[in-house]
Amino acid sequence: MHRKKKIPVGFIVTFVAAFMLALSLTALLVKFKPDMAQFMGMIFFGSWLLMSFIGVGIVALAKKKK
């Protein structure tokens, strides 16, 4: 029978933290530079993706060291 793999908690925490950080970064950027509001979606998604990749890499390296 196939055993279902569990997603490590560290990865979920990383994605949630990156989401909140990207959301606040986007809100602050639009507040201080209103002309950037047209790029809000790209800024949010790009920063979330970048922070998620960095966070997952850090979590994976930390798990590998143990």
Side-chain angles (χ1 to χ4, degrees):
M1 187 159 193
H2 180 66
R3 194 178 133 187
K4 189 175 179 182
K5 290 186 178 181
K6 293 183 180 178
I7 299 173
V9 176
F11 292 136
I12 296 170
V13 170
T14 300
F15 283 120
V16 171
F19 179 83
M20 292 188 315
L21 196 60
L23 194 62
S24 61
L25 172 75
T26 305
L28 282 173
L29 185 65
V30 171
K31 181 178 180 181
F32 291 114
K33 295 201 57 92
D35 56 331
M36 297 294 284
Q38 61 183 346
F39 304 113
M40 192 167 66
M42 288 189 298
I43 293 168
F44 168 71
F45 182 71
S47 60
W48 182 41
L49 194 64
L50 184 65
M51 286 186 277
S52 294
F53 281 145
I54 291 170
V56 166
I58 290 170
V59 169
L61 283 174
K63 285 188 74 140
K64 190 176 181 180
K65 293 261 182 184
K66 280 188 174 184

